[in-house]
Coordinates of all heavy atoms in Angstrom, one line a residue:
N1127 N 137.0 -10.5 -37.8 CA 136.7 -10.4 -39.2 C 137.9 -9.9 -40.0 O 138.9 -9.5 -39.3 CB 135.5 -9.4 -39.5 CG 135.7 -8.1 -38.9 OD1 136.7 -7.4 -39.2 ND2 134.8 -7.7 -38.0
A1128 N 137.9 -9.9 -41.3 CA 139.1 -9.6 -42.1 C 139.3 -8.1 -42.1 O 140.4 -7.6 -42.3 CB 138.9 -10.1 -43.5
T1129 N 138.2 -7.3 -41.8 CA 138.4 -5.9 -41.8 C 139.3 -5.5 -40.6 O 140.2 -4.6 -40.7 CB 137.0 -5.2 -41.7 OG1 136.2 -5.6 -42.8 CG2 137.1 -3.7 -41.7
L1132 N 142.8 -6.4 -41.4 CA 143.5 -5.5 -42.3 C 143.9 -4.2 -41.5 O 145.0 -3.7 -41.7 CB 142.6 -5.1 -43.4 CG 142.4 -6.1 -44.6 CD1 141.1 -5.8 -45.4 CD2 143.6 -6.1 -45.5
T1153 N 137.8 -3.7 -55.6 CA 137.8 -4.5 -54.3 C 136.7 -4.1 -53.4 O 136.0 -3.1 -53.7 CB 139.2 -4.4 -53.6 OG1 139.2 -5.3 -52.5 CG2 139.4 -3.0 -53.1
F1154 N 136.5 -4.8 -52.4 CA 135.6 -4.4 -51.3 C 136.2 -3.2 -50.5 O 137.4 -3.2 -50.4 CB 135.3 -5.6 -50.4 CG 134.3 -5.3 -49.3 CD1 133.0 -4.9 -49.7 CD2 134.6 -5.4 -48.0 CE1 132.1 -4.6 -48.7 CE2 133.7 -5.2 -47.0 CZ 132.4 -4.8 -47.3
A1156 N 136.8 -2.5 -47.6 CA 137.7 -2.7 -46.5 C 139.1 -2.7 -46.8 O 140.0 -2.3 -46.0 CB 137.3 -4.1 -45.8
S1157 N 139.5 -3.0 -48.1 CA 140.9 -3.1 -48.5 C 141.5 -1.7 -48.5 O 142.7 -1.5 -48.3 CB 141.1 -3.6 -49.9 OG 140.3 -4.7 -50.1
V1205 N 144.9 -7.2 -54.0 CA 143.8 -8.0 -53.7 C 143.6 -9.1 -54.8 O 143.7 -8.8 -56.0 CB 142.5 -7.2 -53.7 CG1 141.2 -8.0 -53.4 CG2 142.6 -6.0 -52.7
D1231 N 145.6 -8.9 -49.6 CA 144.2 -9.1 -49.2 C 143.7 -10.4 -50.0 O 143.4 -10.3 -51.2 CB 143.3 -7.9 -49.5 CG 141.9 -8.1 -49.0 OD1 141.5 -9.3 -48.7 OD2 141.1 -7.1 -49.0
S1233 N 141.2 -12.3 -49.2 CA 139.9 -12.7 -48.7 C 139.2 -13.6 -49.6 O 138.3 -14.4 -49.2 CB 139.0 -11.4 -48.6 OG 139.5 -10.6 -47.5
H1234 N 139.5 -13.6 -50.9 CA 138.9 -14.4 -51.9 C 139.7 -15.7 -52.2 O 139.2 -16.5 -53.0 CB 138.8 -13.7 -53.3 CG 138.0 -12.4 -53.3 ND1 137.7 -11.7 -54.4 CD2 137.4 -11.8 -52.3 CE1 137.0 -10.7 -54.2 NE2 136.8 -10.7 -52.9
S1257 N 139.5 -13.8 -45.2 CA 138.2 -13.5 -44.6 C 137.4 -14.9 -44.5 O 137.5 -15.7 -45.4 CB 137.4 -12.5 -45.4 OG 136.0 -12.5 -45.0
F1258 N 136.6 -15.0 -43.5 CA 135.8 -16.2 -43.3 C 134.3 -15.8 -43.2 O 133.5 -16.5 -42.6 CB 136.2 -17.0 -42.1 CG 137.7 -17.3 -42.0 CD1 138.5 -16.8 -41.0 CD2 138.3 -18.0 -43.1 CE1 139.8 -17.0 -41.0 CE2 139.7 -18.2 -43.0 CZ 140.4 -17.8 -42.0
H1259 N 133.9 -14.8 -43.9 CA 132.5 -14.4 -44.1 C 131.8 -15.5 -44.9 O 132.5 -16.2 -45.7 CB 132.5 -13.1 -44.9 CG 131.1 -12.6 -45.1 ND1 130.3 -13.0 -46.1 CD2 130.3 -11.7 -44.4 CE1 129.1 -12.4 -46.1 NE2 129.1 -11.6 -45.0
K1262 N 132.7 -16.5 -48.5 CA 134.0 -16.8 -48.9 C 134.3 -18.3 -48.9 O 133.3 -19.1 -48.7 CB 135.0 -16.1 -47.9 CG 134.8 -14.6 -47.7 CD 135.1 -13.8 -49.0 CE 134.4 -12.4 -49.0 NZ 135.0 -11.4 -48.1
E1268 N 131.4 -14.9 -39.0 CA 132.3 -13.7 -39.2 C 133.7 -14.2 -38.8 O 133.8 -14.9 -37.9 CB 131.9 -12.5 -38.3 CG 130.6 -11.9 -38.6 CD 130.6 -10.9 -39.8 OE1 131.7 -10.7 -40.4 OE2 129.6 -10.3 -40.1
G1269 N 134.7 -13.7 -39.5 CA 136.1 -14.1 -39.1 C 137.1 -13.7 -40.1 O 136.8 -13.4 -41.2
Y1404 N 133.4 -5.2 -58.6 CA 132.9 -4.3 -57.6 C 132.7 -2.9 -58.2 O 133.3 -2.6 -59.2 CB 134.0 -4.1 -56.5 CG 134.2 -5.3 -55.6 CD1 135.3 -6.2 -55.9 CD2 133.4 -5.5 -54.5 CE1 135.5 -7.3 -55.1 CE2 133.6 -6.6 -53.7 CZ 134.7 -7.5 -53.9 OH 134.9 -8.5 -53.1
Ligands
PLP507 C1 135.1 -9.9 -47.7 C2 136.2 -9.0 -48.0 C3 136.8 -8.3 -47.0 C4 136.3 -8.1 -45.6 O1 136.1 -9.3 -45.0 P1 135.2 -9.3 -43.6 O2 135.7 -10.6 -43.0 O3 133.8 -9.3 -44.0 O4 135.6 -8.1 -42.8 C5 138.0 -7.5 -47.3 N1 138.5 -7.5 -48.6 C6 137.9 -8.3 -49.6 C7 138.5 -8.3 -50.9 C8 136.7 -9.0 -49.3 O5 136.2 -9.7 -50.3

Side-chain angles (χ1 to χ4, degrees):
N1127 54 60
T1129 303
L1132 284 162
T1153 187
F1154 183 58
S1157 319
V1205 179
D1231 182 346
S1233 293
H1234 298 186
S1257 170
F1258 309 119
H1259 182 277
K1262 309 291 163 73
E1268 293 278 1
Y1404 288 96

